[in-house]
Amino acid sequence: MSKKKKTTISDIAKELNVTPSTVSRALGDHPKISDSTKEAVLDMVEKLNYQPNNIASALRKGKSNIIGVIVPTSDRQFFASIIRGIEEIIREEGYHLMICQSDDQFDKEKSGIDTLLNVRVDGIIASVAKETTDISHYKKIKKQGVPLVLYDRVIDSFDVNHVVSDDFLGAYNAVTHLIEQGCTRIAHFAGKQHIKIYQDRLQGYIKALREHSIPVDDELIIESDLIQDTYSILRTGRELGSSLLQIPEMPDGIFSSSDFAAMGAIQVFKEKNIKIPDKVALVGYSNDFSASVIEPALTSLDQHTIKMGNCAARLFLEQMNSKEGTFTSKRKLIVPELIVRKSSQKKQEPIKA
Amino acid sequence: MSKKKKTTISDIAKELNVTPSTVSRALGDHPKISDSTKEAVLDMVEKLNYQPNNIASALRKGKSNIIGVIVPTSDRQFFASIIRGIEEIIREEGYHLMICQSDDQFDKEKSGIDTLLNVRVDGIIASVAKETTDISHYKKIKKQGVPLVLYDRVIDSFDVNHVVSDDFLGAYNAVTHLIEQGCTRIAHFAGKQHIKIYQDRLQGYIKALREHSIPVDDELIIESDLIQDTYSILRTGRELGSSLLQIPEMPDGIFSSSDFAAMGAIQVFKEKNIKIPDKVALVGYSNDFSASVIEPALTSLDQHTIKMGNCAARLFLEQMNSKEGTFTSKRKLIVPELIVRKSSQKKQEPIKA
DNA sequence: ATTGTGAATGCAATCGTTTGCATTGGCATA
DNA sequence: TATGCCAATGCAAACGATTGCATTCACAAT
């Protein structure tokens, strides 16, 4: 329990009658150190139970080997997978993760970034909080010369590395699928339009309709806050579903920007005995596990989040290893995959359960 | 993009014709520094865009203000919530989190702990990997005098702070509930018995049976690996469900140590047209979101994971702030809550959807 | 014997903050 | 005028590891 005085590199040096430099080099496997001393050092490391002090090393080297991640919230599957994806890649390069949650709040995001900067992380990988409009704190990162990669919720008009899901394409494919299944009047549960991903999904929806000469009916586009806790969105979905029942000509398809909203609607429809997908077909977004479990199982878009995390990490490494000024920021698109399930399967047999 | 030379405390000092000490104290709001200098310093901080160097500070103070967390995997709801719970508490005290995933592998767990020790975290909060049997790396933490708190998957016979869910009670309540609903032959989907939480759940199950003079039938206790990815457990659940259909006298109740396994069984039963809960009632464990969505909705035990995280964090702070040697390790129990839904509701109306 | 060479290690400054122990100057008290 | 005291600040040594630039020593070549 008591704070032992930790053994340092000099303790080892003293014991071996060499200087700290030698020990340091031995530990770093420096070519000019004889094998015999290297062995001796390693032995002593064991004997004295030496634990390297990364802090001292980081101070001297100006490199912490930590990379910071900002997530809106760690308890959504989506972001949890991203973290995993990032970690998979960077751990191989000897980096470690420091995670800050913004809870989608501007203040927490800002202070999180400050913290990361204070511990001198070697880079930051972030997704922007839904509240955030002022982006001076992100500019600060760039100004300090710290590599920055944004993922998913990015900032247009800000020249940094991006990795985003191709939301436009995802939406387009989803709606096209509904049309192919015979839907002619398709509603859209949209997210708040100041957030890019929801804009793109709406645009993808519109394009698919236009391409099949289906008129875009504003009445069928319902915007609501789809960034909340899961149960709240489910409730929102129920309300949206109910409201659709009120309008004169009920739509025969729904493309929802959130799985949970779609599931809320499914629940309502089932209670009212409205047949899915015959009377109304649904497609959600994100391919949450529960989408495979609800009945009928919900067709959804898998965003390949782990791959997205991988990609963000690689982008960071690339920027990190490029010599000064060489690097120009890139934008990577991850293509989402439509997982067709019963909720939209009017014609053939379901492919996946 | 170029690495700007960051401004330091001495830059500020030089600019103001004082010494670094004064600036340091001013920033620390030291009482002996005049208000005027404090103001001047703050102004200069703005002007020069000073960013404190936590690394240097940590080195000097021997305190990083970072606390390390080991999670088996960040992409399970359970652990994500724990992280949230921890963060809620410690952020108020100025601490930050560094998260390592063990992926339930011994090696990664070990190297994760090493990393945390290397960056000189002020404490470690961990849940033990399912693979782990050798615990020397945990002993090392303690030996180095770093506060350690274990949560959920703990190590018996190792004297450190614990916070665990009361699995015994949870299981006991679940099974008692099934009995009250009229079940007389109750199966148990058990997890691997070298893990404490699964032992406890099995014991709770047994106790409830005994108390109601129901014989414990080994045939009805099926052990399998319940720590895998979600879809795999679902599949396992399907197999378990199918296997129960084979035995002569089908059970009329199932208590599953995993929500996902229970859901797999539900799917099979529905396919075979076996009525739930009339023919067989089910209770899961963990209260995953999907439990509320499957039909019939699955009764489950909510483990109050956020509270659990809160508790772990508080335990850490307590130990941190206790003077040397004063602290004796504690064990906190979080009481799980039975959320009754249709899957087990033979008698009354469901309380929650 | 002199010089050269290379392998193995030592020296000392440095990274940016913090902090115990002075020091300074001004003002009040005796 | 001398003394004491306090408020405000300075000095310099840490914290532990790294690294450019010597230095040392042994041995080979001339």
Side-chain angles (χ1 to χ4, degrees), chain B residues 148-169:
Chain B
L148 172 62
V149 179
L150 296 179
Y151 65 91
D152 194 48
R153 306 213 213 118
V154 302
I155 304 162
D156 262 2
S157 78
F158 183 39
D159 180 40
V160 285
N161 283 313
H162 281 59
V163 26
V164 289
S165 186
D166 194 337
D167 290 286
F168 181 86
L169 181 60

Side-chain angles (χ1 to χ4, degrees), chain B residues 53-102:
Chain B
N53 186 328
N54 229 288
I55 299 226
S57 165
L59 175 58
R60 172 62 227 240
K61 296 206 287 195
K63 189 169 190 311
S64 64
N65 271 29
I66 297 177
I67 99 153
V69 179
I70 306 266
V71 291
T73 156
S74 73
D75 52 7
R76 288 186 70 170
Q77 189 59 38
F78 179 81
F79 293 106
S81 305
I82 299 260
I83 293 176
R84 159 164 306 275
I86 295 174
E87 225 240 356
E88 276 179 9
I89 302 298
I90 59 138
R91 82 172 304 138
E92 290 167 11
E93 306 288 323
Y95 288 98
H96 289 270
L97 246 43
M98 181 151 173
I99 296 170
C100 294
Q101 310 186 204
S102 68

